[in-house]
Amino acid sequence: MMIFSERVDALRVAAQAGDGEAAREYGRLLTLLPEAAENEPVWAGEPWLRAAVAALPDDALARTLLGSLLVTQVAAWQNIIDLDHNADGEEIEAANTRRREEAEELLGGVLRADPEAPTPKACLAALAEVFDEGAYPESEDGAFPYDYHHVQTDLWSGSVCTTLQLVVTDPEELRWACDQWLANYEDWTDGLTLTSYSRGKEIGNVTLSEGSAKAIDWDAVTIPPLAGTPLPPGHPAPHWRTYYGFSAEVG
């Protein structure tokens, strides 16, 4: 884990120096982490992904990652509007319109260059679903074509439950992100649960931590290998409103 953390630090230094590819990778890794300020959703990876797009305007991955993150943001803010009648709905909706337009421009640009690119297509389908204008993305034959790990926990505040989710493919990134989660949240009501999937079928399920545990004994955890095609960065998972990296749903 120390080696991985050193890699993250090196990416940050390179990104700060103006390296577009480092900014893209550092921003992607930050999308795996939950960040919150005064109970408002904040996405730490966004400025780095924007820097990557600015430095590499024709880079399909940078554009896809930023577009995917904007889709996640739109869904999160729409969730707030639906649940909190005291929220400034008009202001949030106006901001979401801007996010949607930018996401469509970013993802649409990738599709104009590569009309068959699956991840931009799936992100745009997920975006349409948020506004009840389409179905959540599924493969044409009904079988999800990718493998991935899905970590989930529930945080309770009175009768309100916030489901936190992580979608990732690399075991080292999974360990790093989960350790960050535990280090930054004081109370975990149900702990962390890891479920691994291959082409839409569950291939493993394990409890990573229980209750208010502050650390995971990774030596005691077996993360199933993903034998199939890994989920592409930015691609939504086939669970309802579950996006690449970190996402939250309040219910």
Side-chain angles (χ1 to χ4, degrees):
M1 190 59 64
M2 180 63 68
I3 294 174
F4 188 86
S5 297
E6 290 173 355
R7 175 190 163 207
V8 175
D9 291 341
L11 284 169
R12 183 183 67 251
V13 171
Q16 289 171 335
D19 185 324
E21 292 185 358
R24 182 188 64 201
E25 180 65 2
Y26 184 55
R28 183 189 68 81
L29 288 173
L30 290 183
T31 65
L32 308 182
L33 305 181
E35 296 285 341
E38 297 181 355
N39 297 320
E40 294 185 0
V42 175
W43 290 268
E46 181 178 355
W48 299 103
L49 294 177
R50 290 191 177 281
V53 171
L56 307 167
D58 297 323
D59 186 274
L61 180 54
R63 293 175 67 89
T64 298
L65 287 168
L66 180 55
S68 173
L69 181 58
L70 289 168
V71 173
T72 304
Q73 292 177 358
V74 167
W77 281 113
Q78 196 65 37
N79 182 221
I80 289 174
I81 293 176
D82 292 341
L83 291 173
D84 185 356
H85 299 297
N86 295 318
D88 190 340
E90 291 186 3
E91 182 177 344
I92 294 175
E93 287 177 357
N96 259 358
T97 296
R98 294 192 296 271
R99 293 185 184 97
R100 180 179 190 178
E101 290 173 350
E102 184 180 8
E104 290 174 338
E105 190 279 326
L106 287 162
L107 299 165
V110 177
L111 286 173
R112 284 190 291 273
D114 180 6
E116 299 305 316
T119 300
K121 281 185 177 181
C123 288
L124 288 173
L127 184 62
E129 180 275 327
V130 173
F131 295 97
D132 297 323
E133 297 174 1
Y136 201 78
E138 294 182 357
S139 61
E140 293 181 0
D141 63 0
F144 193 69
Y146 302 118
D147 292 11
Y148 58 95
H149 302 293
H150 177 230
V151 180
Q152 179 173 319
T153 190
D154 293 329
L155 297 179
W156 287 89
S157 178
S159 60
V160 177
C161 177
T162 301
T163 298
L164 306 183
Q165 302 181 93
L166 169 67
V167 174
V168 68
T169 59
D170 182 84
E172 283 300 304
E173 293 177 7
L174 187 155
R175 296 183 186 98
W176 173 75
C178 289
D179 285 345
Q180 295 293 317
W181 284 28
L182 293 177
N184 289 285
Y185 277 85
E186 293 184 358
D187 298 312
W188 295 92
T189 302
D190 294 331
L192 292 175
T193 300
L194 165 65
T195 307
S196 301
Y197 294 88
S198 178
R199 292 188 57 82
K201 295 183 179 180
E202 182 178 322
I203 59 172
N205 183 282
V206 62
T207 297
L208 297 177
S209 70
E210 298 186 36
S212 58
K214 290 299 180 184
I216 298 171
D217 180 7
W218 290 111
D219 290 336
V221 175
T222 299
I223 300 176
L226 302 180
T229 303
L231 184 80
H235 200 104
H239 315 288
W240 177 253
R241 294 198 180 182
T242 302
Y243 307 97
Y244 177 82
F246 171 80
S247 62
E249 183 85 5
V250 182

